[in-house]
Amino acid sequence: MRILLATSTALLLAACSGATASPAPSGEGASVAAAQPAVASVGDPAHPVVVELYQSQGCSSCPPADRVVNKLADRADVIPLSFAVTYWDNLGWKDVFGSPAYTARQWDYAHFAGRAQVATPQVIVNGRDAVLGSREGELNAAIARNVVKTGPTITAAGGKVTVGSGKATNATVWVVRYDPRTIDVAIQAGENGGRTIPHRNIVKQLVNVGQWSGKAASFALPAAPAGLKTAVLVQNGKGGPILSAAKI
């Protein structure tokens, strides 16, 4: 078994199991998700829990986590976001959605929590709990215990997002744009060569629109690429807990 762990100074082999198969035809297809049984909400849609999956198409342990997090996409009480990291890109397949900004965000969580390394597939729940993405039961338990109802309100109108008043702090307001479709990617090389991996809620844009101090404040929304959905996250500190979140 091989696992990829990233440290602040180097990339070390040590987190995903190796896998090889015959190459698949190249290309990326996008389709509306096939009809699936509705998933009942278990939390509070007015206070959705942010579920951030850190994964890579080059990691053979990631497809099971993709499937688990994909199931959450239709839940009203959850904001599942799939961040494609880049530290697998030199091992045979470059993730077509990868961004150094997403790798940096995972590192922010690691540093805030005192972890010396990052790995895939990791899920961060509301900026607090870190769980293995393929462990569905553990993930659902983490979602249930991380519902936050004390954060500021988030509303949007007229090209602006407004964060209501709350406890004094120094928080970042993030605007996240993600693709709600099921996107099937045929992997041609690397540990997942020959497989087609379905993704949902792939993050395409992550923008820091300003700081929130605890006083009500409005922030301009960046232009939205066509077809993407928007979430707003109010996050305490760099890599700290999510204080409030909303789909707008």
Side-chain angles (χ1 to χ4, degrees):
M1 182 171 68
R2 289 198 304 162
I3 301 177
L4 188 69
L5 302 179
T7 70
S8 58
T9 56
L11 298 177
L12 305 177
L13 283 177
C16 275
S17 58
T20 58
S22 56
S26 62
E28 172 191 337
S31 60
V32 176
Q36 298 176 357
V39 179
S41 294
V42 297
D44 182 356
H47 301 91
V49 175
V50 180
V51 173
E52 301 180 40
L53 170 63
Y54 291 89
Q55 55 79 32
S56 172
Q57 293 159 0
C59 166
S60 63
S61 292
C62 285
D66 290 326
R67 289 192 292 270
V68 168
V69 176
N70 285 353
K71 291 181 183 180
L72 302 175
D74 297 318
R75 280 178 50 169
D77 63 325
V78 176
I79 302 177
L81 301 169
S82 183
F83 289 90
V85 298
T86 54
Y87 48 83
W88 278 91
D89 285 359
N90 63 341
L91 296 180
W93 178 262
K94 184 176 181 179
D95 194 296
V96 298
F97 305 118
S99 169
Y102 308 155
T103 302
R105 183 169 175 82
Q106 189 184 20
W107 268 114
D108 286 343
Y109 280 123
H111 292 149
F112 187 91
R115 293 187 293 271
Q117 58 195 24
V118 296
T120 56
Q122 183 182 60
V123 173
I124 306 295
V125 181
N126 248 9
R128 293 169 170 82
D129 284 358
V131 300
L132 183 62
S134 55
R135 294 180 179 172
E136 188 170 9
E138 291 183 15
L139 176 54
N140 284 328
I143 292 170
R145 67 174 173 264
N146 278 287
V147 177
V148 176
K149 298 185 178 182
T150 57
T153 60
I154 298 173
T155 57
K160 293 185 177 182
V161 59
T162 298
V163 181
S165 61
K167 185 177 179 180
T169 187
N170 182 24
T172 301
V173 180
W174 296 100
V175 171
V176 186
R177 264 49 186 269
Y178 59 94
D179 195 327
R181 300 172 299 166
T182 295
I183 301 176
D184 297 315
V185 180
I187 310 300
Q188 300 176 76
E191 292 197 347
N192 286 316
R195 305 177 70 171
T196 295
I197 302 177
H199 301 278
R200 294 192 72 181
N201 287 22
I202 282 286
V203 174
K204 295 294 188 71
Q205 186 182 71
L206 176 67
V207 182
N208 176 347
V209 295
Q211 298 301 117
W212 178 74
S213 66
K215 296 180 180 180
S218 295
F219 307 88
L221 286 169
L228 301 186
K229 289 191 174 182
T230 301
V232 175
L233 318 180
V234 180
Q235 183 170 23
N236 195 26
K238 192 174 183 180
I242 304 294
L243 304 179
S244 188
K247 304 173 187 178
I248 63 172

